[in-house]
Amino acid sequence: MSTLQPAKLLAIDVVRLAAYGLKARPLRVILSALGIAIGIAAMIAVVGISTSSRAQLNQLLSELGTNLLSAGPGKSMFGEAATMPPESIAMLGRIAEVEMVSAIGVLADARIYRSNRIPVSQSGGLAVYAARLNLLETLSAEVAVGSWLNEATANYPAVVLGARAAARLGIGRGLIGQQVWLGGRWFTVVGILAPVSLVPMLDLSALIGWPAGERHLDFEGDITTLYLRTAPDAVEAVRSILAPSANPKAPNEVDVSRPSDTLAAEAAADVAFTGLLLGLGAVALLVGGIGVANTMVISVLERRAEIGLRRSQGATRGHIRMQFFGEALLLALLGGGSGVLIGALVTIGYAHVMGWPVDIPLWVPAGGMAATLLIGGIAGLYPAIRAARLAPTEALSVG
């Protein structure tokens, strides 16, 4: 005697049934998928923008190097402002691992203005420094417009402006050769620097030659900051002896730092901030999952007649369960796929605007889709079980 075997529901059939169920309610599907799409897009964009930013920082550090050290006068034991001995440049240059040494000295009483008619109080917060000729080479900085100081112009009233200083003074590409009022006399602008990533304070500075400062502005040669490049593998060794080498009489009055540490700290802060934003994205994704669950529960209530009809035609509880579970997964996948695409486009667009390399780790979209499947599976589990428990007679009577 033969027994009836329940019909088998193939995977392709589950997909078709799920697609049919979603297609019949397009507006509700779009609104439900939107919640998951927003959560996934937020997570993809946050991680993508963060990793692209770090890639830019790492690229910048690779180009500029992490072997730049700086030293400046700190405080004396009595809390007074210390000074650096003039011979410190030569003393540091004698260290075998030091490749080059440069320095700047602030002219505290000098101010720079676009013209001599500008009120004294409107200095724009710009600083004036005397600079050694090898400063740009030491800092791996570049001139955006014009030229850097040379042996000739360093002796005369010529000035090179930082990028932001030039903008505040209204000096652009076509105004090289323009005169500005600096320290009570006219100086000629010979160049404008590109932004100096390792020493951003120079972006708001005006740089004149060391001899010109002494000749025209009573600069006494006091060193504000020393910059030195070391052999890449000798940074810590040189750092440990930099203070006693620069000022043997009072090494405790020398402040030593590595400018690239600031960029590294930015990258570390970026990681912490990314974690916070990821948490917010996860909350949005959870809300999207609740929306999917709500949609599926309502769908079960509205489609009791359909469930009863299918059960009366031989569909098993497992078939019904798989149908609604498949709908939840497909709905979540639609939202997750859209979210990955939107997040990637946002990352690419933002990185392009900022001039960063695009860096979206493969684990980010993979993790996003995995989270989508998990959320969809959890959201669809209860509605699927509830649909499967409906008896055919009960479902048809309600329909």
Side-chain angles (χ1 to χ4, degrees):
M1 183 177 179
S2 61
T3 58
L4 293 176
Q5 297 293 328
K8 292 183 179 180
L9 195 62
L10 301 178
I12 188 64
D13 297 324
V14 174
V15 174
R16 287 173 179 170
L17 279 172
Y20 175 79
L22 297 181
K23 186 178 179 180
R25 298 162 182 81
L27 182 59
R28 186 181 297 172
V29 168
I30 291 173
L31 293 177
S32 299
L34 188 60
I36 287 184
I38 291 173
I40 292 295
M43 298 176 74
I44 297 293
V46 164
V47 176
I49 291 174
S50 176
T51 54
S52 295
S53 174
R54 288 200 298 275
Q56 169 66 12
L57 284 175
N58 292 334
Q59 180 178 315
L60 193 61
L61 287 173
S62 178
E63 292 174 357
L64 301 178
T66 57
N67 60 331
L68 177 70
L69 295 174
S70 65
K75 298 289 185 180
S76 68
M77 61 183 299
F78 300 105
E80 300 174 347
T83 58
M84 298 280 284
E87 59 272 14
S88 58
I89 297 177
M91 291 188 294
L92 291 176
R94 296 191 187 103
I95 301 175
E97 292 82 3
V98 173
E99 298 173 348
M100 61 185 78
V101 184
S102 192
I104 58 173
V106 67
L107 286 81
D109 297 327
R111 297 289 183 270
I112 182 171
Y113 305 90
R114 176 65 185 270
S115 74
N116 59 350
R117 298 182 182 276
I118 304 297
V120 175
S121 61
Q122 297 180 13
S123 63
L126 305 180
V128 179
Y129 293 97
R132 296 284 182 170
L133 292 182
N134 65 342
L135 178 67
L136 253 63
E137 183 183 5
T138 304
L139 298 179
S140 296
E142 297 179 351
V143 176
V145 185
S147 61
W148 175 241
L149 301 168
N150 54 41
E151 293 286 350
T153 55
N155 289 278
Y156 294 96
V159 60
V160 175
L161 301 175
R164 294 174 64 190
R168 290 194 181 183
L169 292 171
I171 305 294
R173 178 177 296 273
L175 295 177
I176 297 299
Q178 175 84 20
Q179 289 194 316
V180 292
W181 189 249
L182 194 158
R185 64 169 298 157
W186 293 105
F187 273 68
T188 302
V189 178
V190 297
I192 300 174
L193 296 179
V196 185
S197 301
L198 286 180
V199 190
M201 73 173 188
L202 294 183
D203 294 341
L204 283 171
S205 304
L207 303 169
I208 65 174
W210 204 275
E214 295 173 335
R215 178 180 300 178
H216 303 293
L217 299 177
D218 299 324
F219 176 56
E220 297 180 356
D222 292 334
I223 297 171
T224 300
T225 309
L226 286 165
Y227 298 103
L228 60 153
R229 286 280 180 184
T230 73
D233 57 348
V235 175
E236 293 303 325
V238 173
R239 188 173 188 169
S240 64
I241 62 172
L242 201 160
S245 298
N247 191 353
K249 292 183 179 179
N252 59 301
E253 296 180 0
V254 179
D255 290 336
V256 179
S257 63
R258 183 161 65 168
S260 60
D261 288 346
T262 302
L263 294 178
E266 287 182 20
D270 190 43
V271 171
F273 191 59
T274 297
L276 173 62
L277 293 179
L278 272 178
L280 295 177
V283 171
L285 183 60
L286 179 61
V287 171
I290 294 174
V292 171
N294 183 58
T295 297
M296 295 308 301
V297 169
I298 294 175
S299 180
V300 170
L301 294 176
E302 290 180 342
R303 295 161 65 188
R304 286 188 171 189
E306 175 192 336
I307 296 170
L309 182 60
R310 292 201 61 223
R311 288 296 309 278
S312 66
Q313 292 179 343
T316 65
R317 291 180 182 272
H319 294 164
I320 301 299
R321 189 164 47 243
M322 286 303 299
Q323 175 186 350
F324 283 87
F325 188 72
E327 284 188 22
L329 287 181
L330 187 57
L331 179 58
L333 281 174
L334 288 174
S338 302
V340 169
L341 180 61
I342 294 171
L345 290 176
V346 169
T347 300
I348 293 170
Y350 190 83
H352 178 73
V353 170
M354 298 298 294
W356 296 345
V358 178
D359 185 10
I360 304 177
L362 291 177
W363 64 265
V364 177
M369 294 308 296
T372 294
L373 288 173
L374 179 63
I375 291 292
I378 295 174
L381 190 60
Y382 170 72
I385 294 175
R386 179 171 179 171
R389 285 177 177 174
L390 286 175
T393 53
E394 179 187 354
L396 287 172
S397 64
V398 172

